[in-house]
Each structure stands twice: as structure tokens, then as C-alpha cells.
Amino acid sequence: MTRTLLAAVLLASAAPAVSQQSITTLPAPVAADPRVAALRDDALNNDHYAWDIVEGLTTEVGQRLAATDAEARARDWAVKRLTAMGFANVHVEPFDMPVWTRGAESAEIVSPFPQKLVVAALGYSGSTGPAGVTGEIAYFDSVDALRAAPDAAVRGKIVFIDHHMMPAQDGSGYGQFGAPRRQGPTVASKKGALAIVIRSIGTDHHRNPHTGVQYFTDGATPIPAGALTVPDAEQLIRILQRGKPVVMHLTLVSEKREGGHSGNVVAEVPGRDPKAPILLVGGHLDSWDQGTGAIDDGAGVAITTAAAKHIMDAGQPLRTIRVVWFGAEEPGGFGGTALAKAHAADHYAIAGESDFGADRIWRFGSSYMKSDPATYGQLTALLAPLGIVKNDKAEADGTDVGPTIEAGAPWVSLSQDGTRYFDYHHTPDDTLDKIDVAQMRQNVAAWTTMLGVLSGGIEPQPKRRSRR
Amino acid sequence: MTRTLLAAVLLASAAPAVSQQSITTLPAPVAADPRVAALRDDALNNDHYAWDIVEGLTTEVGQRLAATDAEARARDWAVKRLTAMGFANVHVEPFDMPVWTRGAESAEIVSPFPQKLVVAALGYSGSTGPAGVTGEIAYFDSVDALRAAPDAAVRGKIVFIDHHMMPAQDGSGYGQFGAPRRQGPTVASKKGALAIVIRSIGTDHHRNPHTGVQYFTDGATPIPAGALTVPDAEQLIRILQRGKPVVMHLTLVSEKREGGHSGNVVAEVPGRDPKAPILLVGGHLDSWDQGTGAIDDGAGVAITTAAAKHIMDAGQPLRTIRVVWFGAEEPGGFGGTALAKAHAADHYAIAGESDFGADRIWRFGSSYMKSDPATYGQLTALLAPLGIVKNDKAEADGTDVGPTIEAGAPWVSLSQDGTRYFDYHHTPDDTLDKIDVAQMRQNVAAWTTMLGVLSGGIEPQPKRRSRR
């Protein structure tokens, strides 16, 4: 990783001058703040906080599906850990939400070639009940093809939607090729389908299905909705290509009930000026239920918390840093909505989240580009040695900080390399071994840099005693 | 793959001269038979037989566990396909054997950190029954450590054996690091263990457990025996490192019964001299039950059958080529034993099998090195352009042809690159997408070469009409 990073740094220094402006009109050099640079380099070389958090959370709690006992255990773990690390005002902000849980699931080709396939229910899937359902497969290569089909071609059948998502550094395939998951179940239901299975929204070739959320909208009745692994979807396509009717027996048992509880875990590094706008960073504490939520999103809470801790270790910032481990992001961003509502009166200097794994950050963008070009220049200059280019076309994103940004908070986006993210995302394979420690340190260094630049200045103070 | 192959060819031309003999005493050049070279190159560039077979078998039958209905369907499929390809004397040679089948299986840490782990029963595992068993984990880093432990440290507990198998081109880790699977259950049983789980004998980091055979020997009572995936084994180790007693609930339901049926599927390319020693090649038809048996060993039957078909397409060899799709290799080489017994009176010119995936062959060895150096020289010269080096230290191997070789048959070993074989071996991930078509063609070219050299000469004949 060191050589890769070095190469990226070299590229980052050279590329913007050539691609975005004439080489004869170089901008005035920005003097990077050496104190922030020192914090950055310390995090890059020495951080262990992030690994300690993600290793601990994934080992001692494991999966933590929203609104379940596991997520409650994770909140307890978080409060204990954040307190031990010396954060102030550590508390849980609870909220209510429905609970969806997975039961037994299996898929089997009944004819023409009997064999089992590997499947997982999508979030909020309807339940087949333990006996399962049996139906003929109706194949579509996209949601649009399903939409265009006459209802008679779908009614009473098990719809199967394919797609061809490829890996991309910016994860850009997820929007377009995620449509079979997000829209497919509703469209299939409204056409009278018995159930739906999709090719996993993923870029790997392993027998691990990718779950993920979907909602039945437009008054659609919930039907069983599952994802086949990529190899199983390809197998089903080969079977279909033989030209005979294909019959599947599908069991997807699940349960949805109202009255569940979740919550956001909030911790702060208090600023010297309690009235100054707050720096809001975080990731989400909940995970899907099949892996241990290492890259999604144990890494995100670990990275942002580690960065805040590096600032805390250096002294006291002018502005308060608020770290949030959001609850219940996966089933629909409940934590982000709850936080924005609970803190509608707060003022923010920035809002940003880490929720795209732990591979290196390759570019960034921020609303400061327009509102405060000097600060944007500082960020650009201080992030460049980490191999991070500025993205003047960036737009705000993030499920958890989204509602806070919509309410007016300035934003920053530190974009992780997503090339291999969708190999593991939402699968049993999202486990600790997928995290590259050196790359995660680069993330911590970038977030430390961002917090350092926006801190309003860090004043030395009697060193807090770190209890961990 | 082409560039890799080219590089390998260049290496293969240069390396032996330097490493194995003085550069001042070069051997007399061997004149490679141009007719065999032409067959070889045609297979390398044009083979589609192997893909057609492995794609068809894995799609239309899928998994084919020994002595089950699925394996019987696979035999029917094989007879039909081999007949359609124009092979003669296509028939099944049945034999009886016990049947072991898998039921429900799960593993769960009860304390200190409740969470599910992914497990699969090993072959001939005892059954926990549907209620499962609960016990404290007793950790060992090797079978030898387990052997050295006092019985009291094991009795009533669930033994967990770790290991650190690394990928190797020649698969050499499988012998040593496979001991936890092969010997662990017996040793644990004799010490009074409740059950045993091992770190999967594999080199990947996916949530797919590696099954495989083991036997309870020395009068050991069968106990439940399973393999955790590599990420799950690493998770269990992290949990154990916290220093608290770890309690697991383990469910491994399985059934073993006598009275099962399997069989070898035999097909021939009849030689001009029916009394000439036979060329015996093949792979095994059965597979483990979780993948579709693409690399283990759909590829092997496909490669060797394709090679025989290329000879058939070219004319009639002097010697009969016998292709065998062996039954029930995985649970203990039943097919190989049955074939040697049924054909004890037959004489062989060679016996060889393909059972190590479909990645390129990188070296070969043969008993001809000593018995017939001229033929060995021909093989060396004709295989070198495929990037295959000779291995003068090779020894006979292969579960299926082993008993025939032990009975006196000359042998050939065409060694596939096993670097990634144990990423998929015996897991749900052994599916068609793991086969690289270009590398598989190199395999077919090598086996075609071997059969061509040992054919005794191929005479043109009125072209058979290939029905596929």
C-alpha cells in the first residue's frame, strides 16, 4: 500500500494543474498549516484507535441488525468504549422504528435440473412462510423490461431480474444497477408476481448473497423478495438458456413488526467556544445481519472516532466535535432523520460521514469550495499528500448526515475507493479480514486533517488521561 | 493468460538447461513429432469440448454427492454425453458403498459474545441431532498439540483446531495442514471430546466452509466434526484471545447408512490393436454437495475426455484410450478401487488423472522417465511449448488411478497450478465461474499431447460423425 499511496501522491500533485487550468496560470500556493500536517502524519503513521474500535465492535458484538437486541448490545459497547476513550457527553438518543428480521431461507430449482441455489431475503421482504412457494421463473434483464412486460407474463410467477453491475472506484454502478433491488419488488408485486429474486447487487463471484433494503411503495402488497448470489444468478441464467420452463421452490421466512427501538450514540470533544458551530462526523453503528459489519460500517465509526480522538489528544479545539454512531441506517436512515430532528436548533460548521468501507480516500469535495475558498484551499493542500484530489463537482451525500445537511449544514465528502466495496457489501463476507489497516490509517489521517482545519484552532491543555 | 503462458514457455525453454545440467554438455535435441504438435496446437487454440462438458455437467446436474440420486443423474448425463460425442463401449460399472448426507448445520457462540458462525460438517461427521450440542471450546493450534493435551482438558468440550495453510503452486500445504481435518476428529473423539470444529483447510478469506472427508479410525466413536470458514475461525480466535471461557452451540445433523450405490462411467476410443496396453485417463464424476463441482472435478473429466476426443477426431490410435469418469472419489476413492479390481486383468500403457482444478499445467512427471527415456524425451519436448517443465523427481499420485498404478500400470502426472485451488476446494464456491477457459485449453492441449505421444500412432480413418 505504501508504494500505491506514494504513486497516488505524485499523481495528485501533478494532475490538477494539467487538467483543470492552464499551466501558464498557476494559482498562488497555499501555505498548508504545519500543525495540522503534523497531526495528519501522526495519524497516518501511528493510528491504532480505528483498528481497536472496529476489531472490538465486530468481535465482541458481531452483527448488529437495526432495532434488535444485538444493536442494543452495540450501543452499550459504544457508550462504554467512547467513555473510556475520554469523550464527553456520551449518551444515547433513542428512537422508535419497525423491526424486520430474517428467518429460514432457501431456493431450489425443481425442474428441469433439480438443485439448490443460495439466496437471502432483502430487507422488508414479505414472508413465504416455512412451507415456501413454488412458481415458474419469469426472466427480465432489467426493471424497465419488467415494467414493460404484460401483467400476464408475470402473474403468479417468480420474477428474476438480472443486471451487470461492474466495479467502479466511485461506486457509480450502485445507483443504476441497484434498481432491481430497490424498485423490482414493488413493480413485480403490482403485476401480481408470486415472489421475486434478483441477481445480487454486487461485483464478486462468491456464494454470498447481498441483502439490502427495499420498500414496497405505491400501495404494493409485500411479496417475498430475495437476492441470489452472483454465481447462482449466472447458473439460473444458464438453466434458462436451455429453453425449458424453470420452476423454483423458494422459502424466505421473515417477520416485520412495529414497536422496535434503536438509537444514536453521541459523544463529544467539547470546544473552547460552546456556542461555535459544531463539527459533526460519524458512521453507522447498525449493520446487516449476515456479516459482522466491518466495512459497513464498523470502519466508518472507527475512522471518524479515531480522528476526533487525535484532535482530543492534541488539545482543545475552538469548536465542539460531535461524533455520532448512528443507529438503524441500513433499513432506511432512521438514525440520521432522528438526529436532524433532535438537533434542529444546533448550528454546524461541517457535517460528514464515513460509510463506504476502509479503503483509501481518493478524492474529496465540500460546500466550502463556494462558501469559503480559503478553507477549501487548506483542505486541498493538506489532503494532497495523502493522495487525495479535490473534486470541484462533488455533491453532498450520505444517508446519516443527509437530513442535517438538508437542514442547512455545510458538508464534506471524503470519498473512499469503492472498487472492491461491492464485493463484500451486505454479505456474510463483510468481516474484519477485509479491512486493510494501512489504508484505514490513511482514512483516519484524512478525517483528522479535516477536523484539524475546521477546528478553529487547537489549544494545548493538560493532557486528558486516556483510559484506553 | 496468453502473456503469462508465453512467459512460462520462455522460462520453460531456458530453465532446465541451467538448473539441471552443465551448459557445456547439452543433450542431443529431441525431434518433436510434428503430428502430435499439430494436435496439441489445435487443442490449445480451438478446444470447446472441455467447456461444453463442464458447463453442461455443472448446469444440468449441479452437485453430485457420491451414492446419491444426484450422482446417479450425473452418470446418466455422462453416458448420454459420451455416447453423443462418439465414444465406444460407453457403460457404467456399478459398485456399492455407504452413503453419508448432510442435514441442518449451524454454530453459535453462546458466551461471552453471542453471535453466529458459519460451519459445515466434514464427511462422515457424527450427528448432533437437530437439538445440537453445547460445550466450551478447547483450543489447539495443531493436531499434535491436541494429542499432547491431557484428556481432562478435552473431555466434554468442543475441540477447535487451528492451522496456517498458505497457498502453494504444488498444493504442498494440503498434506501437512490437512491433518486437523483428517486426524483431528479421531484424536478428539478418543480423548472424550463432545465435538470438534476446525479452521477450514483452505487459503481464502470468504464465508464459505471447506468440507472434506475424514474417517474415525482406531475404534474411535464418531463425534460431530465440522469446519468453520477461515474468517469465522479467525473470529473465534479473537474471541478466545479475550481470555474468557467460550461456549458454543453446535448443530451438525447428518446421516450415514449402508447400502448405497455408485459407479464408474467408462468410455473408449478403440485402438487398432485391441490387445495393446491401454491408455487410461480420467477424473471423478462425483463432487461435494455444496458447490457444483466445477474445479473438483468437472474440469478433470472434461479435460481428459476432450483430449481423447481430439485424438478420436484425428483418426484411430494403435492403443485403446479408456476414459473413466470415476464415481465416489471424495468419500474415499471408491471408484478408483472398484476400477482396479474390475480390470485387474487389463494391461496399461499409462494411467493418469486430472483432479486439481483447471488452471494451467506447469510441470509433469512420468514413470517413462526410467522405463522409456525416448518417450519421456518426446513428452518433454512436446509439452515444453505449453510452458510445462519436466519434474524428474515426480512420484505417482492420484486417488482414482492410484490403485491401478499400484497394480503395475505406468503413470503420468500433469500437475496443475494449485495456487488458488484451495480458495474454492470443497466449498460452495466451487462453481463454473472459477474456471478460466484459456487455462483449461492448455490442460486439454497437454493431455492431447500425452495421448498423442503414447497412442502408438494415429492412422487416418473415415471421419466419425461427431454428434456433438
Side-chain angles (χ1 to χ4, degrees):
Chain A
M1 177 313 201
T2 310
R3 269 183 297 183
T4 308
L5 189 57
L6 180 63
V9 169
L10 294 171
L11 279 172
S13 322
V18 174
S19 63
Q20 293 176 19
Q21 60 208 9
S22 159
I23 56 170
T24 58
T25 59
L26 290 169
V30 174
D33 184 332
R35 294 162 301 181
V36 177
L39 282 175
R40 176 196 66 203
D41 295 343
D42 178 56
L44 182 66
N45 295 316
N46 302 316
D47 179 69
H48 63 89
Y49 297 128
W51 178 260
D52 288 349
I53 291 169
V54 70
E55 194 268 356
L57 180 63
T58 58
T59 300
E60 298 176 11
V61 180
Q63 72 84 17
R64 35 203 189 274
L65 186 66
T68 66
D69 288 347
E71 199 200 27
R73 285 198 302 276
R75 282 193 297 279
D76 292 345
W77 190 96
V79 167
K80 200 171 161 189
R81 174 60 61 100
L82 288 161
T83 303
M85 289 178 77
F87 284 91
N89 194 21
V90 179
H91 65 282
V92 175
E93 301 184 356
F95 53 84
D96 297 330
M97 59 176 291
V99 197
W100 179 89
T101 52
R102 181 189 311 279
E105 44 199 18
S106 64
E108 193 173 350
I109 302 296
V110 177
S111 65
F113 308 126
Q115 56 191 283
K116 290 179 182 173
L117 303 180
V118 179
V119 70
L122 299 174
Y124 300 129
S125 167
S127 180
T128 60
V133 297
T134 302
E136 188 182 333
I137 294 289
Y139 167 87
F140 299 95
D141 66 4
S142 66
V143 173
D144 287 340
L146 171 62
R147 277 201 189 89
D151 290 5
V154 172
R155 194 174 296 122
K157 294 185 177 176
I158 298 177
V159 165
F160 166 49
I161 310 184
D162 193 24
H163 66 87
H164 290 93
M165 180 178 171
M166 299 295 286
Q169 192 173 18
D170 67 355
S172 52
Y174 190 49
Q176 178 175 337
F177 293 109
R181 190 188 88 203
R182 298 190 195 95
Q183 303 162 24
T186 290
V187 177
S189 171
K190 292 191 75 94
K191 284 180 176 287
L194 180 63
I196 177 173
V197 290
I198 63 167
R199 175 177 172 136
S200 276
I201 308 303
T203 51
D204 62 301
H205 267 90
H206 297 291
R207 299 289 292 286
N208 293 306
H210 296 242
T211 189
V213 77
Q214 58 81 39
Y215 313 101
F216 290 97
T217 57
D218 303 329
T221 308
I223 58 173
L228 297 169
T229 77
V230 172
D232 286 284
E234 292 179 348
Q235 177 82 335
L236 180 52
I237 289 165
R238 284 189 292 269
I239 292 171
L240 286 161
Q241 283 169 341
R242 264 60 178 176
K244 296 174 186 166
V246 176
V247 177
M248 175 182 282
H249 182 70
L250 180 68
T251 304
L252 295 174
V253 177
S254 62
E255 187 190 3
K256 185 184 172 188
R257 62 175 179 81
E258 299 299 317
H261 307 286
S262 183
N264 295 320
V265 181
V266 178
E268 292 183 345
V269 181
R272 300 192 303 280
D273 178 0
K275 293 188 177 169
I278 293 164
L279 310 180
L280 172 65
V281 296
H284 65 85
L285 178 57
D286 70 308
S287 74
W288 280 107
D289 51 338
Q290 298 185 298
T292 63
I295 66 165
D296 187 15
D297 184 31
V301 298
I303 289 163
T304 50
T305 303
K309 172 69 172 157
H310 284 284
I311 302 294
M312 190 199 303
D313 288 348
Q316 189 174 27
L318 179 75
R319 292 173 176 148
T320 292
I321 300 171
R322 179 177 292 163
V323 179
V324 180
W325 296 20
F326 290 88
E329 188 270 353
E330 294 293 1
F334 290 91
T337 303
L339 190 93
K341 192 173 165 189
H343 295 267
D346 288 350
H347 294 286
Y348 295 96
I350 201 80
E353 72 183 54
S354 172
D355 186 14
F356 202 45
D359 282 350
R360 73 181 181 82
I361 294 168
W362 65 290
R363 69 177 178 183
F364 89 103
S366 172
S367 54
Y368 276 83
M369 180 182 65
K370 291 182 181 169
S371 65
D372 184 348
T375 298
Y376 187 67
Q378 268 294 311
L379 287 169
T380 303
L382 281 157
L383 292 171
L386 296 172
I388 300 170
V389 298
K390 67 191 173 90
N391 176 15
D392 291 345
K393 294 178 182 167
E395 294 176 7
D397 67 355
T399 303
D400 285 318
V401 295
T404 297
I405 292 167
E406 275 173 33
W411 56 267
V412 66
S413 176
L414 291 162
S415 306
Q416 290 155 307
D417 187 329
T419 307
R420 66 184 188 123
Y421 184 70
F422 292 106
D423 288 355
Y424 310 122
H425 176 247
H426 294 184
T427 75
D429 242 355
D430 179 3
T431 49
L432 186 65
D433 50 288
K434 308 309 181 302
I435 292 181
D436 176 321
V437 180
Q439 294 198 61
M440 188 163 66
R441 279 204 188 112
Q442 186 257 17
N443 276 259
V444 176
W447 283 93
T448 301
T449 302
M450 192 279 291
L451 291 176
V453 168
L454 297 178
S455 64
I458 303 165
E459 298 288 334
Q461 64 176 3
K463 190 91 172 177
R464 277 168 195 273
R465 179 166 152 271
S466 170
R467 271 165 284 176
R468 187 181 174 88
Chain B
M1 173 325 201
T2 311
R3 268 183 298 185
T4 308
L5 188 57
L6 180 63
V9 168
L10 293 172
L11 279 171
S13 322
V18 174
S19 63
Q20 294 178 20
Q21 60 208 10
S22 159
I23 55 169
T24 58
T25 58
L26 290 169
V30 173
D33 184 332
R35 294 163 300 181
V36 176
L39 282 175
R40 175 197 66 203
D41 295 344
D42 178 57
L44 182 65
N45 296 315
N46 303 314
D47 179 69
H48 62 89
Y49 297 127
W51 178 260
D52 288 349
I53 290 169
V54 70
E55 193 268 359
L57 180 63
T58 57
T59 301
E60 298 177 11
V61 181
Q63 71 84 15
R64 36 202 187 274
L65 185 67
T68 65
D69 289 348
E71 199 200 29
R73 286 199 302 276
R75 284 195 295 280
D76 293 344
W77 190 96
V79 167
K80 200 170 159 188
R81 174 59 62 101
L82 288 161
T83 303
M85 289 178 76
F87 285 91
N89 194 20
V90 179
H91 65 282
V92 175
E93 301 184 354
F95 53 84
D96 297 330
M97 58 176 292
V99 196
W100 178 88
T101 51
R102 180 189 312 279
E105 44 198 19
S106 63
E108 192 173 352
I109 302 295
V110 176
S111 65
F113 309 125
Q115 57 191 281
K116 290 180 183 172
L117 303 179
V118 179
V119 69
L122 300 174
Y124 299 129
S125 166
S127 180
T128 61
V133 297
T134 302
E136 187 181 333
I137 293 290
Y139 167 87
F140 299 95
D141 66 5
S142 65
V143 173
D144 287 340
L146 171 62
R147 275 203 190 87
D151 290 5
V154 173
R155 195 173 297 122
K157 295 185 177 176
I158 298 176
V159 164
F160 167 49
I161 311 184
D162 193 23
H163 66 87
H164 290 92
M165 180 178 171
M166 299 295 286
Q169 191 172 17
D170 68 355
S172 51
Y174 190 49
Q176 179 176 337
F177 293 108
R181 190 189 88 202
R182 298 191 195 94
Q183 303 162 24
T186 289
V187 177
S189 172
K190 292 191 77 93
K191 284 180 177 286
L194 180 63
I196 177 173
V197 291
I198 62 167
R199 176 179 172 133
S200 277
I201 309 303
T203 51
D204 62 301
H205 268 88
H206 296 291
R207 297 290 291 287
N208 293 305
H210 296 242
T211 189
V213 78
Q214 59 81 38
Y215 313 101
F216 290 97
T217 58
D218 303 329
T221 307
I223 58 173
L228 298 169
T229 76
V230 172
D232 286 285
E234 292 179 349
Q235 178 81 337
L236 180 52
I237 289 165
R238 283 189 292 269
I239 292 171
L240 287 161
Q241 283 170 341
R242 263 63 178 174
K244 297 174 186 166
V246 176
V247 177
M248 175 181 282
H249 182 70
L250 179 68
T251 304
L252 295 175
V253 177
S254 62
E255 188 192 1
K256 186 184 173 189
R257 62 173 180 80
E258 300 299 317
H261 306 287
S262 182
N264 295 321
V265 181
V266 178
E268 291 183 345
V269 181
R272 299 193 304 280
D273 179 358
K275 293 188 176 169
I278 292 164
L279 310 181
L280 172 65
V281 295
H284 64 87
L285 179 57
D286 70 307
S287 74
W288 281 106
D289 51 339
Q290 299 186 298
T292 63
I295 66 165
D296 188 15
D297 185 30
V301 299
I303 289 163
T304 50
T305 303
K309 173 67 172 155
H310 283 285
I311 302 294
M312 192 200 302
D313 288 350
Q316 189 176 24
L318 180 74
R319 292 173 176 149
T320 292
I321 300 171
R322 181 176 291 161
V323 179
V324 180
W325 296 21
F326 290 87
E329 188 270 353
E330 294 294 0
F334 290 90
T337 303
L339 191 93
K341 191 173 167 191
H343 294 269
D346 287 350
H347 293 285
Y348 295 96
I350 201 80
E353 71 184 55
S354 171
D355 186 15
F356 203 46
D359 281 351
R360 73 180 181 83
I361 294 168
W362 64 290
R363 68 178 179 185
F364 88 102
S366 172
S367 55
Y368 276 84
M369 181 182 65
K370 291 182 180 168
S371 66
D372 184 349
T375 298
Y376 187 68
Q378 268 294 310
L379 287 169
T380 303
L382 281 157
L383 291 171
L386 296 173
I388 301 169
V389 298
K390 66 190 173 91
N391 176 14
D392 291 344
K393 294 178 182 167
E395 294 177 6
D397 67 356
T399 305
D400 285 318
V401 296
T404 297
I405 292 167
E406 276 173 33
W411 56 268
V412 66
S413 177
L414 292 162
S415 306
Q416 290 155 306
D417 187 328
T419 307
R420 66 185 188 122
Y421 185 69
F422 292 106
D423 288 355
Y424 310 121
H425 177 245
H426 294 184
T427 75
D429 242 355
D430 179 4
T431 49
L432 186 66
D433 49 289
K434 308 310 181 302
I435 292 181
D436 176 322
V437 179
Q439 294 198 59
M440 187 163 67
R441 279 204 188 111
Q442 186 257 18
N443 277 258
V444 175
W447 284 93
T448 301
T449 302
M450 192 279 291
L451 291 175
V453 168
L454 297 178
S455 64
I458 303 165
E459 297 288 333
Q461 63 176 3
K463 190 94 173 178
R464 278 168 193 273
R465 182 167 150 270
S466 170
R467 272 164 285 176
R468 186 180 174 92

